[in-house]
Amino acid sequence: MKIKLITLTAAAALTVAMAQENSDNVGLASTDNAPATEQAPAPAPAPAPAPAPQVAPAPAAPAPQAATTAATDTATKKPAALHGISYNNVGNTAAESTVADNLNKPYKMAGSKFVYIEPTSAFSAVAFGDQSTKFISFEMSNNLGLATFGIANRGFGASISYALGKEITFTKSRDAYEQTTEDEYTVSAGDIVRARFALPLGAFDLNATLFWLTYQNETSTSEEYKDSDDKTTTDVENDFWDLGGKVSVSNDPSAKNIFWNAGVTFTRHENSNEREHKAGSTTSKTETSGMDAHIYIQPEFNIGGTILKGNRARVLLGLNTRAPLKFYDEFDDDTRKNKDDFFTMGIYAVPNIFAEIKLGNCWHIYGGADYTWAVFTMESEEYITDYNDEIDIVKNNITRIRSLTGATTVNLGARFYYNNFALEASVENTFYNNPFRGFADGNNNILANFGGFIYF
């Protein structure tokens, strides 16, 4: 709880710093806002001005002409190559950046000025500022609104995110002879505090994330009973949270044809119950570890590059891999008695294809497909069935090994852009097979996306 309060205080300080930024500073030029791959329609040339010598001396003519050119360039500024969530659903590392990609690496938001709205996934983001870029995004965490506030420049970026779902109830009941008080504290599923930091380091960049997430409703109570002769208290605390982080590096700053990133995620998944009862001078305390309490470690490595390329089209091939490991706590199982050792591990490979083509001056068509393969998974458990009999203890070991090919996912999308405006939309094969099921499946995976940009 203290960690969350400290992090929220940091978020408030960050917001104040953003508000106090001098808005009159000189604007930062950004090459990211004008990629060569998106050619906005050229405006019709303005009528030629009257010959300069008739209205002013010849040496003064170049200055007005330069000012007119600068104004025209600003008015016809090409939109940035930044895409919405509908782009690159297969996660190919060599594809252009999306809003989500840059929010995950805050320093890449530097120099951006845009607003993005996507109603299908309840997501929005805005970036603004001169010498340093400030950015804000809103999205959902379970049924709670998740807000992100961040600041970035070319050498460093940081952000803080939070979604709050907390409720405290105080109850008191008393008469002339006795009194009962009860305090109840509830934290809703989806309550999260998250901090991100990222910076370029020469040819590579470093990205770090820390988070504390409540993954299911968590209720703790404290009850006290008093009368003229006695006093009893009962405290019950439930813990259902994830505390973890991720560190990754990539070659984004220097990559030309082959893009890769590597990282590792650490998470403590807590699932426990603690009950303490005091009656006079007697105290009893029980602690129970849930069946799902574990430590989670996942190394990952993703790589992608161009395999076909034309003047206005290209095809990318990539491979995303991960190797999750889960080490479960010991716990008491009603069926298998005492489980001493239980862990799972695996290697997953997801090859992907991503293709895109520019059509005319205003259209960009893109699509991709990926294929999930559980190359190797293993589950191992050891438990004792007759642990009450020290002489006849029976240990059982079970190991399961699998290799399984999963689903193939295909999606297709399009982007329409003109001047400083862009719209993007995409659909996946599941949505196409049954379009009447809505924009998301039962697991809140978006099957159809639609969003729009305005660039500045």
Side-chain angles (χ1 to χ4, degrees):
M1 181 64 187
K2 292 182 179 179
I3 296 176
K4 289 188 177 183
L5 292 175
I6 293 172
T7 313
L8 290 176
T9 304
L14 180 60
T15 305
V16 172
M18 291 166 54
Q20 292 179 344
E21 180 84 20
N22 186 353
S23 60
D24 294 328
N25 290 333
V26 178
L28 177 65
S30 172
T31 58
D32 293 341
N33 290 333
T37 55
E38 291 193 358
Q39 184 70 31
Q54 296 180 7
V55 295
Q65 183 177 355
T68 303
T69 303
T72 303
D73 290 343
T74 301
T76 60
K77 192 174 185 179
K78 302 171 187 176
L82 193 63
H83 289 273
I85 297 175
S86 71
Y87 178 82
N88 191 24
N89 286 339
V90 299
N92 190 292
T93 56
E96 295 175 352
S97 296
T98 67
V99 175
D101 293 335
N102 285 6
L103 288 173
N104 289 340
K105 289 185 177 181
Y107 84 90
K108 296 185 73 174
M109 295 293 291
S112 297
K113 293 183 180 181
F114 68 87
V115 61
Y116 175 71
I117 304 292
E118 181 155 345
T120 52
S121 57
F123 177 83
S124 63
V126 62
F128 58 95
D130 294 323
Q131 285 191 338
S132 60
T133 298
K134 281 73 69 177
F135 55 92
I136 302 170
S137 72
F138 302 135
E139 54 190 303
M140 295 298 294
S141 174
N142 285 339
N143 293 319
L144 302 177
L146 175 65
T148 297
F149 300 89
I151 191 167
N153 55 46
R154 294 298 181 188
F156 180 76
S159 67
I160 189 81
S161 306
Y162 64 89
L164 302 179
K166 304 181 188 299
E167 180 179 334
I168 304 177
T169 303
F170 303 97
T171 304
K172 179 180 288 188
S173 174
R174 63 181 177 181
D175 57 24
Y177 305 99
E178 58 186 21
Q179 174 178 297
T180 302
T181 61
E182 181 178 357
D183 300 337
E184 183 178 274
Y185 179 60
T186 301
V187 182
S188 301
D191 184 284
I192 184 174
V193 174
R194 182 182 65 211
R196 284 194 173 115
F197 312 90
L199 69 160
L201 299 172
F204 306 99
D205 61 20
L206 174 68
N207 187 32
T209 301
L210 299 172
F211 66 89
W212 186 356
L213 167 70
T214 301
Y215 60 86
Q216 74 177 57
N217 291 343
E218 180 184 278
T219 301
S220 299
T221 61
S222 178
E223 183 176 347
E224 180 181 275
Y225 171 81
K226 292 191 300 185
D227 58 22
S228 57
D229 300 322
D230 201 4
K231 174 183 175 181
T232 62
T233 60
T234 303
D235 296 321
V236 178
E237 181 176 351
N238 293 297
D239 288 313
F240 306 122
W241 45 258
D242 287 340
L243 177 62
K246 179 178 180 180
V247 178
S248 61
V249 295
S250 79
N251 69 336
D252 277 359
S254 61
K256 301 299 182 183
N257 297 313
I258 303 297
F259 293 76
W260 59 262
N261 62 66
V264 61
T265 300
F266 301 89
T267 304
R268 169 58 187 174
H269 185 81
E270 186 66 22
N271 185 296
S272 64
N273 171 273
E274 181 179 306
R275 186 178 187 274
E276 184 175 13
H277 180 74
K278 295 180 180 180
S281 59
T282 304
T283 300
S284 61
K285 186 176 181 179
T286 58
E287 297 182 14
T288 305
S289 179
M291 296 175 60
D292 194 38
H294 63 263
I295 293 174
Y296 177 82
I297 303 173
Q298 177 176 278
E300 60 183 61
F301 180 78
N302 308 314
I303 189 169
T306 303
I307 57 173
L308 294 172
K309 188 174 183 180
N311 291 334
R312 300 179 65 84
R314 65 173 180 163
V315 178
L316 311 176
L317 184 65
L319 177 65
N320 299 335
T321 60
R322 58 190 180 93
L325 299 96
K326 287 185 180 180
F327 302 94
Y328 289 83
D329 294 4
E330 293 184 11
F331 60 87
D332 293 331
D333 187 294
D334 293 336
T335 302
R336 297 173 178 170
K337 306 302 183 181
N338 188 44
K339 185 168 290 190
D340 288 339
D341 187 33
F342 183 30
F343 74 91
T344 64
M345 63 179 296
I347 299 175
Y348 295 83
V350 184
N352 60 77
I353 302 169
F354 184 77
E356 54 189 341
I357 184 172
K358 303 296 177 65
L359 300 177
N361 292 325
C362 297
W363 287 97
H364 180 182
I365 309 299
Y366 48 82
D370 61 17
Y371 169 79
T372 303
W373 179 22
V375 181
F376 167 81
T377 64
M378 184 177 76
E379 178 181 299
S380 176
E381 56 183 325
E382 176 183 290
Y383 57 90
I384 302 173
T385 54
D386 293 329
Y387 65 97
N388 289 323
D389 188 339
E390 295 183 0
I391 298 177
D392 297 323
I393 289 179
V394 177
K395 284 190 176 183
N396 296 272
N397 298 84
I398 299 176
T399 301
R400 301 180 184 89
I401 299 176
R402 302 184 182 94
S403 182
L404 180 68
T405 55
T408 296
T409 302
V410 180
N411 61 78
L412 182 66
R415 172 185 175 98
F416 172 81
Y417 54 94
Y418 181 80
N419 204 354
N420 62 340
F421 170 75
L423 286 176
E424 290 186 354
S426 71
V427 293
E428 289 189 4
N429 58 338
T430 308
F431 180 81
Y432 178 76
N433 292 336
N434 185 6
F436 299 103
R437 68 188 300 177
F439 287 102
D441 63 11
N443 297 319
N444 291 322
N445 294 319
I446 296 300
L447 304 178
N449 293 280
F450 178 78
F453 283 94
I454 300 177
Y455 303 95
F456 297 88

